[in-house]
Amino acid sequence: MTTERPDARRTRLQGLASVPTPRSGVPMTLVGVGTPAPTAVTVPEPDEPEHRSRAVVAGVVVVVLVTLAALAVVLQIAFPGAPATAPPRVDQHQGAREHPGSVVQFGQAHTYGDGLEVVVGVPQPYEPSDNATGLEQGVPVRVQVVVTNGTEEGFRPNTLEVAATSGGSEAVNVWDPDQGIGLTGPDVSVPAGGTLQFALAFAAADPADLHLELTPALYGYGALVVEG
């Protein structure tokens, strides 16, 4: 009969107590059973707030750029003829200052810088036809206009403009087609070196006090002031 010593039993119990069990919470590794050992799992660290802020800002910038590009395309489709930039403003009367006019007397010639010469004759009384218009206020008078084309190109006086005053008030332009009197020059071309004569008429409050402001063409010439 074998008798076990009390101290040997305590040693065995202490050794059994150190063996890990499922309830002890200590990981166990079983050898020879065929179950793989657990592997370590790495948990990713959360993004830092600074990184998230940069990502949000970058996303907003991309959205704004895409929106602007889309808006530009829409405007181009809606207004295909619109220029990318506004064209420079052009003064319509800028050309009229290329060859300035002057102040002359009736019967006195004025030659513009390009060689165009204009003479307005002394006002003369005239008898309008039955079809004449613009005679309601004033006495009808007429003037003879002589244009000599000293330029190197043909000249058309069909855009000639003339305004008249008499006795401190406006003198109405008379239109008398039966006598070849129009409100402007005739629609003919005066060749270089050629001369053209035509008449203009007005209803003047005071025929002895007539002032004209004549512009030979719509662009390129200043006004010629003619007075008695």
Side-chain angles (χ1 to χ4, degrees):
M1 179 176 180
T2 303
T3 303
E4 185 177 354
R5 292 182 305 170
D7 55 349
R9 186 171 178 271
R10 286 195 301 268
T11 302
R12 185 172 61 250
L13 291 176
Q14 292 177 356
L16 291 175
S18 64
V19 176
T21 62
R23 294 184 180 180
S24 65
V26 179
M28 298 184 301
T29 302
L30 301 180
V31 180
V33 180
T35 303
T39 58
V41 179
T42 302
V43 179
E45 297 181 359
D47 293 338
E48 297 181 2
E50 183 179 356
H51 293 169
R52 288 197 299 268
S53 299
R54 292 179 179 176
V56 171
V57 172
V60 171
V61 171
V62 171
V63 171
V64 171
L65 292 177
V66 172
T67 303
L68 292 177
L71 180 60
V73 173
V74 171
L75 292 177
Q76 187 66 25
I77 294 175
F79 306 99
T85 57
R89 183 178 179 274
V90 177
D91 186 356
Q92 294 183 353
H93 301 286
Q94 181 178 1
R97 295 191 294 268
E98 293 180 1
H99 304 297
S102 182
V103 178
V104 296
Q105 300 291 316
F106 286 105
Q108 180 182 355
H110 171 73
T111 303
Y112 286 90
D114 63 346
L116 185 72
E117 181 185 278
V118 180
V119 180
V120 180
V122 178
Q124 301 290 334
Y126 109 99
E127 186 68 28
S129 68
D130 295 338
N131 294 324
T133 62
L135 302 171
E136 293 78 9
Q137 300 176 355
V139 179
V141 294
R142 63 182 291 172
V143 295
Q144 194 75 10
V145 180
V146 180
V147 177
T148 301
N149 186 10
T151 72
E152 297 178 354
E153 300 178 353
F155 173 75
R156 305 183 75 90
N158 60 333
T159 60
L160 179 145
E161 295 180 347
V162 59
T165 58
S166 176
S169 61
E170 178 183 3
V172 180
N173 296 58
V174 174
W175 181 54
D176 192 349
D178 291 350
Q179 298 194 42
I181 298 176
L183 302 178
T184 183
D187 188 13
V188 296
S189 179
V190 183
T195 299
L196 176 69
Q197 299 185 29
F198 57 92
L200 297 174
F202 310 92
D206 182 5
D209 181 28
L210 183 65
H211 300 264
L212 302 182
E213 186 174 307
L214 184 148
T215 305
L218 189 60
Y219 299 112
Y221 300 95
L224 178 64
V225 178
V226 188
E227 55 190 17

